């Protein structure tokens, strides 16, 4: 591990807005984390809605949403601490009290929140996980977990460049009757112009989103309500794989 990563990890330990607990710490005891059910009282010190960003990466979307909506609380979740460091540090430096970061495995998300504690979830430009369905953040595997912590009829937002993940999620929502509030395969195209439902999704752009737009790729967006389901059906259709890759980490978008 490089010295820069070690320095970031050490600094993360000092940030008051960062909580770190991976699967190894939670298992095999599978205990509920002390913050579960206490995010309002023990961290945010208010009763404002709590919004999660899953796979938050550098935390830029989490921080951007927190700036835009001071009347809401935001928690960015990812396992990559070196990336999360940037957003966590920015939030501390700018005194954003409605932001927290949780470094953990999303598979054990139910260990950190109680039933109905979460109002919304944003999934932004996650790995489409084309080889294994249970790793996809919009799979029924994860829907069952989200249902345990999100309020009935809470909102889920997916923003992605991946045609594969968009097609898969659309099929998942067809098979499992969650109410779809809006959906587009080209967020910045003419078909989405002037539609208020897409305004929030357009308001912020991540580093990776700008990469995709620079390359002429379209951005997909779906918003649905997580009404409780008792039975789930996983999509089995064949979906064409994405044929492109992300730029390397040293890539800088053209000015």
């Amino acid at each position: 591990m490089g010295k820069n990563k070690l320095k970031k990890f050490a600094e993360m330990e000092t940030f008051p807005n960062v909580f770190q607990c991976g699967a190894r710490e939670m298992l095999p005891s599978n205990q509920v984390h002390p913050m579960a059910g206490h995010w309002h009282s023990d961290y945010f010190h208010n009763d404002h809605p709590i919004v999660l960003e899953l796979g938050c990466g550098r935390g830029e979307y989490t921080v951007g949403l927190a700036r835009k909506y001071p009347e809401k609380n935001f928690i960015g979740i990812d396992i990559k601490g070196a990336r999360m460091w940037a957003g966590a540090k920015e939030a501390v430096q700018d005194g954003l009290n409605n932001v927290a970061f949780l470094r953990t495995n999303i598979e054990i998300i139910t260990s950190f929140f109680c039933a109905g504690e979460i109002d919304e979830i944003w999934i932004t430009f996650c790995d489409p996980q084309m080889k294994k369905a249970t790793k996809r953040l919009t799979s029924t595997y994860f829907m069952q977990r989200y249902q345990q912590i999100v309020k009935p009829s809470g909102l889920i937002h997916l923003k992605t460049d991946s045609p594969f993940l968009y097609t898969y999620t659309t099929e998942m929502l067809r098979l499992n009757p969650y109410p779809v509030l809006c959906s587009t395969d080209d967020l910045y195209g003419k078909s989405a112009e002037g539609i208020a439902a897409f305004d929030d999704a357009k308001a912020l752009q991540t580093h990776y989103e700008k990469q995709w737009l620079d390359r002429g790729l379209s951005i997909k967006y779906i918003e649905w309500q997580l009404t409780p389901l008792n039975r789930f059906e996983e999509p089995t259709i064949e979906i064409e794989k994405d044929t492109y890759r992300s730029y390397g980490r040293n890539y800088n978008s053209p000015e």
Side-chain angles (χ1 to χ4, degrees):
M1 184 179 294
K3 291 183 179 180
N4 193 40
K5 277 191 176 182
L6 290 174
K7 182 179 178 180
K8 288 179 178 179
F9 287 144
E11 191 171 9
M12 286 261 286
E13 293 288 344
T14 70
F15 291 162
N17 62 353
V18 174
F19 300 81
Q20 303 188 72
C21 187
R24 289 184 179 180
E25 290 82 4
M26 299 302 295
L27 301 175
S29 60
N30 199 29
Q31 295 179 353
V32 174
H33 191 272
M35 287 302 295
H38 301 284
W39 289 95
H40 283 115
S41 60
D42 294 0
Y43 180 77
F44 293 114
H45 305 295
N46 60 50
D47 59 358
H48 298 168
I50 296 178
V51 182
L52 306 182
E53 186 198 358
L54 304 183
C56 68
R58 303 178 184 190
E60 56 197 309
Y61 215 83
T62 301
V63 172
L65 287 170
R67 293 187 195 280
K68 184 175 175 61
Y69 300 105
E71 72 282 5
K72 295 182 179 182
N73 302 315
F74 295 88
I75 303 175
I77 303 178
D78 207 309
I79 195 60
K80 301 289 187 179
R83 297 178 187 175
M84 183 184 290
W85 168 87
K89 184 167 187 175
E90 181 180 350
V92 169
Q93 290 178 334
D94 293 354
L96 294 174
N97 297 320
N98 63 329
V99 181
F101 288 91
L102 174 60
R103 185 188 174 207
T104 193
N105 306 80
I106 297 174
E107 288 85 351
I108 60 170
I109 194 171
T110 56
S111 296
F112 297 91
F113 305 98
C114 287
E117 193 169 11
I118 303 306
D119 289 79
E120 293 182 50
I121 291 177
W122 279 83
I123 303 169
T124 53
F125 300 96
C126 63
D127 187 329
Q129 299 288 351
M130 293 183 284
K131 293 183 178 180
K132 192 171 183 180
T134 55
K135 288 185 174 292
R136 294 171 203 152
L137 293 184
T138 59
S139 67
T140 58
Y141 175 87
F142 279 103
M143 290 301 110
Q144 294 175 64
R145 283 154 177 74
Y146 303 156
Q147 278 193 183
Q148 296 179 52
I149 62 173
V150 176
K151 292 179 179 178
S153 298
L155 300 179
I156 309 290
H157 309 262
L158 171 68
K159 196 175 181 185
T160 182
D161 59 282
S162 169
F164 177 91
L165 186 59
Y166 177 76
T167 301
Y168 167 84
T169 305
T170 299
E171 178 67 5
M172 187 279 293
L173 292 169
R174 186 186 71 80
L175 296 173
N176 303 276
Y178 292 118
V180 177
L181 303 183
C182 58
S183 177
T184 178
D185 63 357
D186 191 357
L187 183 62
Y188 299 99
K190 290 184 178 180
S191 62
E193 288 181 357
I195 300 177
F198 299 130
D199 289 348
D200 278 354
K202 292 181 179 180
L204 301 170
Q205 291 184 1
T206 68
H207 171 80
Y208 287 106
E209 181 173 1
K210 291 173 183 176
Q211 282 190 18
W212 308 133
L213 292 171
D214 288 343
R215 296 169 74 174
L217 300 172
S218 64
I219 304 302
K220 292 86 170 138
Y221 174 73
I222 312 175
E223 178 184 351
W224 68 95
Q225 286 183 310
L226 199 68
T227 52
L229 300 179
N230 294 319
R231 298 180 62 184
F232 300 86
E233 184 175 351
E234 184 64 23
T236 58
I237 63 169
E238 290 293 326
I239 304 174
E240 183 178 355
K241 301 292 195 297
D242 297 337
T243 57
Y244 60 91
R245 294 179 180 272
S246 172
Y247 285 123
R249 67 179 64 185
N250 295 322
Y251 172 81
N252 291 315
S253 299
E255 296 295 333

